[in-house]
Amino acid sequence: MLNFIWLFRRERTQQNSKRLKKKRKRLARFSITLLFVALGLVTFLTLGFQAEKAKALEITDNVMRSSWRGTSFPVENFQRYSSAYGYRLNPDGSAGWGFHRGIDIAAPAGSYIRSWSNGEVVEVANYRLCGTKLVIKSGEWQHIYCHMKGRAANSPQGRYLNDPESGLQIWEGQYIRAGIRIGRVGTTGRTTGPHLHWALKYDNTYVDPGLVLQAMYRQQN
């Protein structure tokens, strides 16, 4: 009887040992697979970042060489630049950093916003963060305006910026000339005060608007 119990325990111990070895092998294979996936992801992100950085540098070089005559500063009653392009602490006071893909231009609420360049209005929309938003396309460039007064609205004629007090009606599909008033500075979306968030894209890549404004200023003086 004692021999039988001993043999039973020995058999059970061997079975448990085999199961444990199988689990360890599976875990090792999973860990190796996970490691290769992580390395592949890091490589992909690194290459993607390098490609984006190279493209941004090429665009920056083009910005400095281009002619900016005929463009317009986007805000009347300019007060100051309240936030630059690039990484910054979250403006709402929450912990952490975020990448700011434009510049913030402070001006009194209700100050008029002007189109930076000739182009077609391709978007009028309402967003939780950007607030009332207008996008104008000028060739390969897109200029983006956020936190505007009023709201995007629909009518049988199409989508437009509804800000009755401005005396303006800006429609999707409308052609706008540089320097024309397109709206007013407001506080729609997530803001800490009245300002225009102004962003620029070239060939679908964000560009520092500060560099463009510097180039504009040098050519006008």
Side-chain angles (χ1 to χ4, degrees), residues 140-176:
E140 294 296 319
W141 288 92
Q142 290 184 50
H143 24 129
I144 302 161
Y145 307 81
C146 293
H147 311 309
M148 301 171 71
K149 274 188 174 291
R151 300 290 291 171
N154 295 307
S155 80
Q157 289 75 38
R159 194 164 176 82
Y160 68 103
L161 175 61
N162 182 26
D163 179 14
E165 294 180 7
S166 70
L168 304 172
Q169 276 198 339
I170 306 298
W171 296 80
E172 284 188 354
Q174 181 178 348
Y175 184 80
I176 301 288

PDB file of all heavy atoms in Angstrom, residues 140-176:
ATOM      1  N   GLU A 140      -0.521  73.996 -51.819  1.00  0.00           N
ATOM      2  CA  GLU A 140      -0.086  72.928 -50.907  1.00  0.00           C
ATOM      3  C   GLU A 140      -0.247  73.315 -49.434  1.00  0.00           C
ATOM      4  O   GLU A 140      -0.055  72.484 -48.553  1.00  0.00           O
ATOM      5  CB  GLU A 140       1.390  72.586 -51.184  1.00  0.00           C
ATOM      6  CG  GLU A 140       1.646  71.973 -52.548  1.00  0.00           C
ATOM      7  CD  GLU A 140       0.967  70.629 -52.717  1.00  0.00           C
ATOM      8  OE1 GLU A 140       0.985  69.828 -51.775  1.00  0.00           O
ATOM      9  OE2 GLU A 140       0.412  70.398 -53.798  1.00  0.00           O
ATOM     10  N   TRP A 141      -0.578  74.572 -49.201  1.00  0.00           N
ATOM     11  CA  TRP A 141      -0.701  75.056 -47.823  1.00  0.00           C
ATOM     12  C   TRP A 141      -2.140  74.955 -47.325  1.00  0.00           C
ATOM     13  O   TRP A 141      -3.091  75.118 -48.093  1.00  0.00           O
ATOM     14  CB  TRP A 141      -0.267  76.516 -47.726  1.00  0.00           C
ATOM     15  CG  TRP A 141       1.210  76.717 -47.857  1.00  0.00           C
ATOM     16  CD1 TRP A 141       1.899  76.966 -49.015  1.00  0.00           C
ATOM     17  CD2 TRP A 141       2.179  76.683 -46.815  1.00  0.00           C
ATOM     18  NE1 TRP A 141       3.235  77.096 -48.743  1.00  0.00           N
ATOM     19  CE2 TRP A 141       3.436  76.925 -47.407  1.00  0.00           C
ATOM     20  CE3 TRP A 141       2.096  76.473 -45.439  1.00  0.00           C
ATOM     21  CZ2 TRP A 141       4.610  76.962 -46.658  1.00  0.00           C
ATOM     22  CZ3 TRP A 141       3.271  76.521 -44.697  1.00  0.00           C
ATOM     23  CH2 TRP A 141       4.505  76.760 -45.303  1.00  0.00           C
ATOM     24  N   GLN A 142      -2.278  74.711 -46.027  1.00  0.00           N
ATOM     25  CA  GLN A 142      -3.557  74.863 -45.330  1.00  0.00           C
ATOM     26  C   GLN A 142      -3.315  75.775 -44.135  1.00  0.00           C
ATOM     27  O   GLN A 142      -2.351  75.574 -43.384  1.00  0.00           O
ATOM     28  CB  GLN A 142      -4.088  73.513 -44.844  1.00  0.00           C
ATOM     29  CG  GLN A 142      -4.561  72.589 -45.935  1.00  0.00           C
ATOM     30  CD  GLN A 142      -5.168  71.321 -45.365  1.00  0.00           C
ATOM     31  OE1 GLN A 142      -6.024  71.363 -44.481  1.00  0.00           O
ATOM     32  NE2 GLN A 142      -4.731  70.189 -45.855  1.00  0.00           N
ATOM     33  N   HIS A 143      -4.169  76.796 -43.955  1.00  0.00           N
ATOM     34  CA  HIS A 143      -4.091  77.626 -42.761  1.00  0.00           C
ATOM     35  C   HIS A 143      -5.342  77.373 -41.928  1.00  0.00           C
ATOM     36  O   HIS A 143      -6.456  77.389 -42.431  1.00  0.00           O
ATOM     37  CB  HIS A 143      -3.865  79.114 -43.057  1.00  0.00           C
ATOM     38  CG  HIS A 143      -4.306  79.600 -44.389  1.00  0.00           C
ATOM     39  ND1 HIS A 143      -5.108  80.715 -44.563  1.00  0.00           N
ATOM     40  CD2 HIS A 143      -4.057  79.135 -45.640  1.00  0.00           C
ATOM     41  CE1 HIS A 143      -5.314  80.913 -45.850  1.00  0.00           C
ATOM     42  NE2 HIS A 143      -4.700  79.972 -46.525  1.00  0.00           N
ATOM     43  N   ILE A 144      -5.108  77.154 -40.642  1.00  0.00           N
ATOM     44  CA  ILE A 144      -6.138  76.662 -39.719  1.00  0.00           C
ATOM     45  C   ILE A 144      -6.354  77.694 -38.619  1.00  0.00           C
ATOM     46  O   ILE A 144      -5.388  78.170 -37.999  1.00  0.00           O
ATOM     47  CB  ILE A 144      -5.697  75.317 -39.117  1.00  0.00           C
ATOM     48  CG1 ILE A 144      -5.449  74.298 -40.255  1.00  0.00           C
ATOM     49  CG2 ILE A 144      -6.734  74.793 -38.126  1.00  0.00           C
ATOM     50  CD1 ILE A 144      -4.608  73.117 -39.849  1.00  0.00           C
ATOM     51  N   TYR A 145      -7.621  78.013 -38.372  1.00  0.00           N
ATOM     52  CA  TYR A 145      -7.996  79.046 -37.389  1.00  0.00           C
ATOM     53  C   TYR A 145      -8.935  78.414 -36.359  1.00  0.00           C
ATOM     54  O   TYR A 145      -9.967  77.837 -36.727  1.00  0.00           O
ATOM     55  CB  TYR A 145      -8.689  80.215 -38.091  1.00  0.00           C
ATOM     56  CG  TYR A 145      -7.907  80.797 -39.249  1.00  0.00           C
ATOM     57  CD1 TYR A 145      -7.923  80.192 -40.507  1.00  0.00           C
ATOM     58  CD2 TYR A 145      -7.141  81.946 -39.084  1.00  0.00           C
ATOM     59  CE1 TYR A 145      -7.193  80.708 -41.572  1.00  0.00           C
ATOM     60  CE2 TYR A 145      -6.411  82.478 -40.140  1.00  0.00           C
ATOM     61  CZ  TYR A 145      -6.441  81.851 -41.379  1.00  0.00           C
ATOM     62  OH  TYR A 145      -5.721  82.366 -42.440  1.00  0.00           O
ATOM     63  N   CYS A 146      -8.602  78.533 -35.072  1.00  0.00           N
ATOM     64  CA  CYS A 146      -9.404  77.908 -34.004  1.00  0.00           C
ATOM     65  C   CYS A 146      -9.837  78.933 -32.951  1.00  0.00           C
ATOM     66  O   CYS A 146      -9.251  80.003 -32.836  1.00  0.00           O
ATOM     67  CB  CYS A 146      -8.603  76.811 -33.311  1.00  0.00           C
ATOM     68  SG  CYS A 146      -8.246  75.376 -34.331  1.00  0.00           S
ATOM     69  N   HIS A 147     -10.840  78.546 -32.172  1.00  0.00           N
ATOM     70  CA  HIS A 147     -11.394  79.326 -31.052  1.00  0.00           C
ATOM     71  C   HIS A 147     -12.119  80.586 -31.524  1.00  0.00           C
ATOM     72  O   HIS A 147     -12.209  81.577 -30.788  1.00  0.00           O
ATOM     73  CB  HIS A 147     -10.315  79.699 -30.033  1.00  0.00           C
ATOM     74  CG  HIS A 147      -9.456  78.551 -29.591  1.00  0.00           C
ATOM     75  ND1 HIS A 147      -9.989  77.372 -29.131  1.00  0.00           N
ATOM     76  CD2 HIS A 147      -8.103  78.395 -29.576  1.00  0.00           C
ATOM     77  CE1 HIS A 147      -9.010  76.545 -28.814  1.00  0.00           C
ATOM     78  NE2 HIS A 147      -7.857  77.137 -29.085  1.00  0.00           N
ATOM     79  N   MET A 148     -12.648  80.545 -32.737  1.00  0.00           N
ATOM     80  CA  MET A 148     -13.324  81.724 -33.295  1.00  0.00           C
ATOM     81  C   MET A 148     -14.700  81.911 -32.665  1.00  0.00           C
ATOM     82  O   MET A 148     -15.316  80.957 -32.174  1.00  0.00           O
ATOM     83  CB  MET A 148     -13.465  81.560 -34.805  1.00  0.00           C
ATOM     84  CG  MET A 148     -12.137  81.393 -35.522  1.00  0.00           C
ATOM     85  SD  MET A 148     -12.327  80.943 -37.264  1.00  0.00           S
ATOM     86  CE  MET A 148     -12.949  82.494 -37.930  1.00  0.00           C
ATOM     87  N   LYS A 149     -15.182  83.136 -32.693  1.00  0.00           N
ATOM     88  CA  LYS A 149     -16.547  83.393 -32.242  1.00  0.00           C
ATOM     89  C   LYS A 149     -17.542  82.774 -33.216  1.00  0.00           C
ATOM     90  O   LYS A 149     -17.235  82.558 -34.386  1.00  0.00           O
ATOM     91  CB  LYS A 149     -16.808  84.904 -32.151  1.00  0.00           C
ATOM     92  CG  LYS A 149     -16.380  85.532 -30.829  1.00  0.00           C
ATOM     93  CD  LYS A 149     -16.843  86.970 -30.746  1.00  0.00           C
ATOM     94  CE  LYS A 149     -16.565  87.563 -29.380  1.00  0.00           C
ATOM     95  NZ  LYS A 149     -17.404  86.990 -28.318  1.00  0.00           N
ATOM     96  N   GLY A 150     -18.773  82.510 -32.710  1.00  0.00           N
ATOM     97  CA  GLY A 150     -19.805  81.935 -33.564  1.00  0.00           C
ATOM     98  C   GLY A 150     -19.731  80.417 -33.588  1.00  0.00           C
ATOM     99  O   GLY A 150     -18.967  79.794 -32.842  1.00  0.00           O
ATOM    100  N   ARG A 151     -20.525  79.832 -34.481  1.00  0.00           N
ATOM    101  CA  ARG A 151     -20.588  78.375 -34.615  1.00  0.00           C
ATOM    102  C   ARG A 151     -20.721  78.018 -36.084  1.00  0.00           C
ATOM    103  O   ARG A 151     -21.268  78.782 -36.888  1.00  0.00           O
ATOM    104  CB  ARG A 151     -21.799  77.809 -33.862  1.00  0.00           C
ATOM    105  CG  ARG A 151     -21.819  78.090 -32.382  1.00  0.00           C
ATOM    106  CD  ARG A 151     -20.751  77.310 -31.640  1.00  0.00           C
ATOM    107  NE  ARG A 151     -21.015  75.888 -31.606  1.00  0.00           N
ATOM    108  CZ  ARG A 151     -20.142  74.979 -31.161  1.00  0.00           C
ATOM    109  NH1 ARG A 151     -18.935  75.346 -30.768  1.00  0.00           N
ATOM    110  NH2 ARG A 151     -20.458  73.704 -31.145  1.00  0.00           N
ATOM    111  N   ALA A 152     -20.235  76.835 -36.426  1.00  0.00           N
ATOM    112  CA  ALA A 152     -20.483  76.307 -37.768  1.00  0.00           C
ATOM    113  C   ALA A 152     -21.944  75.895 -37.847  1.00  0.00           C
ATOM    114  O   ALA A 152     -22.500  75.307 -36.917  1.00  0.00           O
ATOM    115  CB  ALA A 152     -19.581  75.104 -38.033  1.00  0.00           C
ATOM    116  N   ALA A 153     -22.602  76.240 -38.942  1.00  0.00           N
ATOM    117  CA  ALA A 153     -24.029  75.942 -39.104  1.00  0.00           C
ATOM    118  C   ALA A 153     -24.296  75.458 -40.529  1.00  0.00           C
ATOM    119  O   ALA A 153     -23.498  75.688 -41.446  1.00  0.00           O
ATOM    120  CB  ALA A 153     -24.862  77.188 -38.801  1.00  0.00           C
ATOM    121  N   ASN A 154     -25.433  74.776 -40.688  1.00  0.00           N
ATOM    122  CA  ASN A 154     -25.831  74.256 -41.994  1.00  0.00           C
ATOM    123  C   ASN A 154     -27.056  75.009 -42.510  1.00  0.00           C
ATOM    124  O   ASN A 154     -27.904  75.462 -41.732  1.00  0.00           O
ATOM    125  CB  ASN A 154     -26.160  72.769 -41.901  1.00  0.00           C
ATOM    126  CG  ASN A 154     -24.947  71.930 -41.554  1.00  0.00           C
ATOM    127  OD1 ASN A 154     -23.919  72.021 -42.206  1.00  0.00           O
ATOM    128  ND2 ASN A 154     -25.054  71.123 -40.507  1.00  0.00           N
ATOM    129  N   SER A 155     -27.111  75.143 -43.815  1.00  0.00           N
ATOM    130  CA  SER A 155     -28.281  75.734 -44.470  1.00  0.00           C
ATOM    131  C   SER A 155     -28.464  74.988 -45.794  1.00  0.00           C
ATOM    132  O   SER A 155     -27.576  74.231 -46.210  1.00  0.00           O
ATOM    133  CB  SER A 155     -28.075  77.229 -44.711  1.00  0.00           C
ATOM    134  OG  SER A 155     -27.277  77.436 -45.857  1.00  0.00           O
ATOM    135  N   PRO A 156     -29.574  75.212 -46.491  1.00  0.00           N
ATOM    136  CA  PRO A 156     -29.746  74.563 -47.808  1.00  0.00           C
ATOM    137  C   PRO A 156     -28.635  74.926 -48.794  1.00  0.00           C
ATOM    138  O   PRO A 156     -28.356  74.175 -49.723  1.00  0.00           O
ATOM    139  CB  PRO A 156     -31.101  75.108 -48.281  1.00  0.00           C
ATOM    140  CG  PRO A 156     -31.836  75.428 -47.021  1.00  0.00           C
ATOM    141  CD  PRO A 156     -30.796  75.913 -46.065  1.00  0.00           C
ATOM    142  N   GLN A 157     -27.978  76.067 -48.572  1.00  0.00           N
ATOM    143  CA  GLN A 157     -26.910  76.495 -49.476  1.00  0.00           C
ATOM    144  C   GLN A 157     -25.554  75.874 -49.116  1.00  0.00           C
ATOM    145  O   GLN A 157     -24.609  75.965 -49.889  1.00  0.00           O
ATOM    146  CB  GLN A 157     -26.765  78.021 -49.465  1.00  0.00           C
ATOM    147  CG  GLN A 157     -27.920  78.765 -50.148  1.00  0.00           C
ATOM    148  CD  GLN A 157     -29.179  78.779 -49.295  1.00  0.00           C
ATOM    149  OE1 GLN A 157     -29.101  78.917 -48.070  1.00  0.00           O
ATOM    150  NE2 GLN A 157     -30.334  78.622 -49.934  1.00  0.00           N
ATOM    151  N   GLY A 158     -25.462  75.267 -47.924  1.00  0.00           N
ATOM    152  CA  GLY A 158     -24.201  74.656 -47.520  1.00  0.00           C
ATOM    153  C   GLY A 158     -23.849  74.965 -46.072  1.00  0.00           C
ATOM    154  O   GLY A 158     -24.682  75.404 -45.287  1.00  0.00           O
ATOM    155  N   ARG A 159     -22.591  74.761 -45.726  1.00  0.00           N
ATOM    156  CA  ARG A 159     -22.114  74.954 -44.354  1.00  0.00           C
ATOM    157  C   ARG A 159     -21.376  76.288 -44.277  1.00  0.00           C
ATOM    158  O   ARG A 159     -20.599  76.638 -45.178  1.00  0.00           O
ATOM    159  CB  ARG A 159     -21.175  73.805 -43.991  1.00  0.00           C
ATOM    160  CG  ARG A 159     -20.856  73.677 -42.504  1.00  0.00           C
ATOM    161  CD  ARG A 159     -20.259  72.309 -42.237  1.00  0.00           C
ATOM    162  NE  ARG A 159     -19.835  72.140 -40.865  1.00  0.00           N
ATOM    163  CZ  ARG A 159     -20.635  71.826 -39.858  1.00  0.00           C
ATOM    164  NH1 ARG A 159     -21.924  71.654 -40.087  1.00  0.00           N
ATOM    165  NH2 ARG A 159     -20.168  71.668 -38.633  1.00  0.00           N
ATOM    166  N   TYR A 160     -21.605  77.016 -43.173  1.00  0.00           N
ATOM    167  CA  TYR A 160     -21.022  78.356 -43.067  1.00  0.00           C
ATOM    168  C   TYR A 160     -20.727  78.701 -41.612  1.00  0.00           C
ATOM    169  O   TYR A 160     -21.202  78.030 -40.676  1.00  0.00           O
ATOM    170  CB  TYR A 160     -21.960  79.394 -43.675  1.00  0.00           C
ATOM    171  CG  TYR A 160     -23.250  79.605 -42.902  1.00  0.00           C
ATOM    172  CD1 TYR A 160     -23.407  80.722 -42.087  1.00  0.00           C
ATOM    173  CD2 TYR A 160     -24.311  78.701 -42.974  1.00  0.00           C
ATOM    174  CE1 TYR A 160     -24.565  80.930 -41.364  1.00  0.00           C
ATOM    175  CE2 TYR A 160     -25.481  78.896 -42.260  1.00  0.00           C
ATOM    176  CZ  TYR A 160     -25.604  80.015 -41.462  1.00  0.00           C
ATOM    177  OH  TYR A 160     -26.772  80.212 -40.739  1.00  0.00           O
ATOM    178  N   LEU A 161     -19.955  79.763 -41.422  1.00  0.00           N
ATOM    179  CA  LEU A 161     -19.664  80.275 -40.086  1.00  0.00           C
ATOM    180  C   LEU A 161     -20.765  81.251 -39.694  1.00  0.00           C
ATOM    181  O   LEU A 161     -20.956  82.280 -40.341  1.00  0.00           O
ATOM    182  CB  LEU A 161     -18.308  80.978 -40.073  1.00  0.00           C
ATOM    183  CG  LEU A 161     -17.925  81.683 -38.764  1.00  0.00           C
ATOM    184  CD1 LEU A 161     -17.848  80.690 -37.614  1.00  0.00           C
ATOM    185  CD2 LEU A 161     -16.591  82.419 -38.922  1.00  0.00           C
ATOM    186  N   ASN A 162     -21.481  80.916 -38.628  1.00  0.00           N
ATOM    187  CA  ASN A 162     -22.600  81.734 -38.162  1.00  0.00           C
ATOM    188  C   ASN A 162     -22.144  82.596 -36.983  1.00  0.00           C
ATOM    189  O   ASN A 162     -22.047  82.131 -35.857  1.00  0.00           O
ATOM    190  CB  ASN A 162     -23.773  80.836 -37.756  1.00  0.00           C
ATOM    191  CG  ASN A 162     -24.983  81.640 -37.317  1.00  0.00           C
ATOM    192  OD1 ASN A 162     -25.161  82.784 -37.733  1.00  0.00           O
ATOM    193  ND2 ASN A 162     -25.820  81.052 -36.470  1.00  0.00           N
ATOM    194  N   ASP A 163     -21.839  83.845 -37.265  1.00  0.00           N
ATOM    195  CA  ASP A 163     -21.451  84.818 -36.244  1.00  0.00           C
ATOM    196  C   ASP A 163     -22.141  86.136 -36.617  1.00  0.00           C
ATOM    197  O   ASP A 163     -21.517  87.034 -37.197  1.00  0.00           O
ATOM    198  CB  ASP A 163     -19.930  84.982 -36.202  1.00  0.00           C
ATOM    199  CG  ASP A 163     -19.472  86.004 -35.167  1.00  0.00           C
ATOM    200  OD1 ASP A 163     -20.287  86.393 -34.301  1.00  0.00           O
ATOM    201  OD2 ASP A 163     -18.298  86.431 -35.250  1.00  0.00           O
ATOM    202  N   PRO A 164     -23.432  86.282 -36.296  1.00  0.00           N
ATOM    203  CA  PRO A 164     -24.218  87.430 -36.772  1.00  0.00           C
ATOM    204  C   PRO A 164     -23.621  88.787 -36.431  1.00  0.00           C
ATOM    205  O   PRO A 164     -23.707  89.722 -37.232  1.00  0.00           O
ATOM    206  CB  PRO A 164     -25.568  87.223 -36.078  1.00  0.00           C
ATOM    207  CG  PRO A 164     -25.635  85.765 -35.771  1.00  0.00           C
ATOM    208  CD  PRO A 164     -24.233  85.354 -35.480  1.00  0.00           C
ATOM    209  N   GLU A 165     -22.988  88.898 -35.249  1.00  0.00           N
ATOM    210  CA  GLU A 165     -22.459  90.192 -34.835  1.00  0.00           C
ATOM    211  C   GLU A 165     -21.233  90.624 -35.644  1.00  0.00           C
ATOM    212  O   GLU A 165     -20.857  91.797 -35.623  1.00  0.00           O
ATOM    213  CB  GLU A 165     -22.110  90.157 -33.350  1.00  0.00           C
ATOM    214  CG  GLU A 165     -23.324  89.984 -32.440  1.00  0.00           C
ATOM    215  CD  GLU A 165     -22.933  89.952 -30.977  1.00  0.00           C
ATOM    216  OE1 GLU A 165     -21.744  90.195 -30.684  1.00  0.00           O
ATOM    217  OE2 GLU A 165     -23.806  89.687 -30.131  1.00  0.00           O
ATOM    218  N   SER A 166     -20.620  89.693 -36.353  1.00  0.00           N
ATOM    219  CA  SER A 166     -19.412  90.023 -37.118  1.00  0.00           C
ATOM    220  C   SER A 166     -19.732  90.737 -38.422  1.00  0.00           C
ATOM    221  O   SER A 166     -18.873  91.411 -38.993  1.00  0.00           O
ATOM    222  CB  SER A 166     -18.628  88.750 -37.432  1.00  0.00           C
ATOM    223  OG  SER A 166     -19.327  87.957 -38.389  1.00  0.00           O
ATOM    224  N   GLY A 167     -20.975  90.570 -38.914  1.00  0.00           N
ATOM    225  CA  GLY A 167     -21.327  91.124 -40.220  1.00  0.00           C
ATOM    226  C   GLY A 167     -20.754  90.325 -41.371  1.00  0.00           C
ATOM    227  O   GLY A 167     -20.743  90.793 -42.523  1.00  0.00           O
ATOM    228  N   LEU A 168     -20.270  89.092 -41.071  1.00  0.00           N
ATOM    229  CA  LEU A 168     -19.636  88.256 -42.097  1.00  0.00           C
ATOM    230  C   LEU A 168     -20.431  86.975 -42.309  1.00  0.00           C
ATOM    231  O   LEU A 168     -21.108  86.494 -41.404  1.00  0.00           O
ATOM    232  CB  LEU A 168     -18.215  87.872 -41.672  1.00  0.00           C
ATOM    233  CG  LEU A 168     -17.245  89.012 -41.342  1.00  0.00           C
ATOM    234  CD1 LEU A 168     -15.962  88.440 -40.744  1.00  0.00           C
ATOM    235  CD2 LEU A 168     -16.921  89.812 -42.593  1.00  0.00           C
ATOM    236  N   GLN A 169     -20.314  86.415 -43.496  1.00  0.00           N
ATOM    237  CA  GLN A 169     -20.787  85.068 -43.778  1.00  0.00           C
ATOM    238  C   GLN A 169     -19.711  84.372 -44.602  1.00  0.00           C
ATOM    239  O   GLN A 169     -19.465  84.746 -45.756  1.00  0.00           O
ATOM    240  CB  GLN A 169     -22.118  85.066 -44.538  1.00  0.00           C
ATOM    241  CG  GLN A 169     -23.328  85.207 -43.642  1.00  0.00           C
ATOM    242  CD  GLN A 169     -24.613  84.781 -44.332  1.00  0.00           C
ATOM    243  OE1 GLN A 169     -24.692  84.750 -45.558  1.00  0.00           O
ATOM    244  NE2 GLN A 169     -25.627  84.460 -43.554  1.00  0.00           N
ATOM    245  N   ILE A 170     -19.070  83.392 -43.989  1.00  0.00           N
ATOM    246  CA  ILE A 170     -17.991  82.662 -44.641  1.00  0.00           C
ATOM    247  C   ILE A 170     -18.472  81.235 -44.889  1.00  0.00           C
ATOM    248  O   ILE A 170     -18.839  80.524 -43.955  1.00  0.00           O
ATOM    249  CB  ILE A 170     -16.712  82.664 -43.778  1.00  0.00           C
ATOM    250  CG1 ILE A 170     -16.312  84.099 -43.410  1.00  0.00           C
ATOM    251  CG2 ILE A 170     -15.578  81.948 -44.500  1.00  0.00           C
ATOM    252  CD1 ILE A 170     -15.976  84.978 -44.594  1.00  0.00           C
ATOM    253  N   TRP A 171     -18.446  80.810 -46.149  1.00  0.00           N
ATOM    254  CA  TRP A 171     -19.022  79.530 -46.559  1.00  0.00           C
ATOM    255  C   TRP A 171     -17.930  78.551 -46.988  1.00  0.00           C
ATOM    256  O   TRP A 171     -16.914  78.942 -47.555  1.00  0.00           O
ATOM    257  CB  TRP A 171     -19.978  79.733 -47.727  1.00  0.00           C
ATOM    258  CG  TRP A 171     -21.171  80.571 -47.398  1.00  0.00           C
ATOM    259  CD1 TRP A 171     -21.229  81.939 -47.318  1.00  0.00           C
ATOM    260  CD2 TRP A 171     -22.478  80.103 -47.098  1.00  0.00           C
ATOM    261  NE1 TRP A 171     -22.485  82.346 -46.985  1.00  0.00           N
ATOM    262  CE2 TRP A 171     -23.288  81.241 -46.846  1.00  0.00           C
ATOM    263  CE3 TRP A 171     -23.063  78.834 -47.028  1.00  0.00           C
ATOM    264  CZ2 TRP A 171     -24.645  81.147 -46.524  1.00  0.00           C
ATOM    265  CZ3 TRP A 171     -24.408  78.731 -46.714  1.00  0.00           C
ATOM    266  CH2 TRP A 171     -25.182  79.865 -46.455  1.00  0.00           C
ATOM    267  N   GLU A 172     -18.173  77.272 -46.728  1.00  0.00           N
ATOM    268  CA  GLU A 172     -17.314  76.246 -47.315  1.00  0.00           C
ATOM    269  C   GLU A 172     -17.397  76.346 -48.834  1.00  0.00           C
ATOM    270  O   GLU A 172     -18.485  76.495 -49.389  1.00  0.00           O
ATOM    271  CB  GLU A 172     -17.733  74.852 -46.853  1.00  0.00           C
ATOM    272  CG  GLU A 172     -17.321  74.528 -45.434  1.00  0.00           C
ATOM    273  CD  GLU A 172     -17.563  73.075 -45.065  1.00  0.00           C
ATOM    274  OE1 GLU A 172     -18.164  72.333 -45.888  1.00  0.00           O
ATOM    275  OE2 GLU A 172     -17.171  72.661 -43.957  1.00  0.00           O
ATOM    276  N   GLY A 173     -16.251  76.265 -49.486  1.00  0.00           N
ATOM    277  CA  GLY A 173     -16.195  76.394 -50.943  1.00  0.00           C
ATOM    278  C   GLY A 173     -15.981  77.812 -51.423  1.00  0.00           C
ATOM    279  O   GLY A 173     -15.720  78.032 -52.613  1.00  0.00           O
ATOM    280  N   GLN A 174     -16.062  78.782 -50.507  1.00  0.00           N
ATOM    281  CA  GLN A 174     -15.884  80.187 -50.889  1.00  0.00           C
ATOM    282  C   GLN A 174     -14.407  80.502 -51.114  1.00  0.00           C
ATOM    283  O   GLN A 174     -13.530  80.019 -50.382  1.00  0.00           O
ATOM    284  CB  GLN A 174     -16.435  81.080 -49.776  1.00  0.00           C
ATOM    285  CG  GLN A 174     -16.345  82.580 -50.040  1.00  0.00           C
ATOM    286  CD  GLN A 174     -16.968  83.391 -48.896  1.00  0.00           C
ATOM    287  OE1 GLN A 174     -17.653  82.845 -48.023  1.00  0.00           O
ATOM    288  NE2 GLN A 174     -16.716  84.686 -48.894  1.00  0.00           N
ATOM    289  N   TYR A 175     -14.107  81.304 -52.135  1.00  0.00           N
ATOM    290  CA  TYR A 175     -12.738  81.738 -52.381  1.00  0.00           C
ATOM    291  C   TYR A 175     -12.491  83.025 -51.598  1.00  0.00           C
ATOM    292  O   TYR A 175     -13.277  83.970 -51.660  1.00  0.00           O
ATOM    293  CB  TYR A 175     -12.498  81.980 -53.879  1.00  0.00           C
ATOM    294  CG  TYR A 175     -11.066  82.334 -54.197  1.00  0.00           C
ATOM    295  CD1 TYR A 175     -10.095  81.345 -54.298  1.00  0.00           C
ATOM    296  CD2 TYR A 175     -10.682  83.669 -54.363  1.00  0.00           C
ATOM    297  CE1 TYR A 175      -8.774  81.665 -54.578  1.00  0.00           C
ATOM    298  CE2 TYR A 175      -9.361  83.999 -54.643  1.00  0.00           C
ATOM    299  CZ  TYR A 175      -8.415  82.992 -54.741  1.00  0.00           C
ATOM    300  OH  TYR A 175      -7.109  83.312 -55.008  1.00  0.00           O
ATOM    301  N   ILE A 176     -11.387  83.035 -50.853  1.00  0.00           N
ATOM    302  CA  ILE A 176     -11.057  84.160 -49.970  1.00  0.00           C
ATOM    303  C   ILE A 176      -9.709  84.737 -50.391  1.00  0.00           C
ATOM    304  O   ILE A 176      -8.761  83.995 -50.646  1.00  0.00           O
ATOM    305  CB  ILE A 176     -10.966  83.688 -48.499  1.00  0.00           C
ATOM    306  CG1 ILE A 176     -12.281  83.066 -48.035  1.00  0.00           C
ATOM    307  CG2 ILE A 176     -10.558  84.843 -47.590  1.00  0.00           C
ATOM    308  CD1 ILE A 176     -13.404  84.029 -47.834  1.00  0.00           C
TER     309      ILE A 176
END
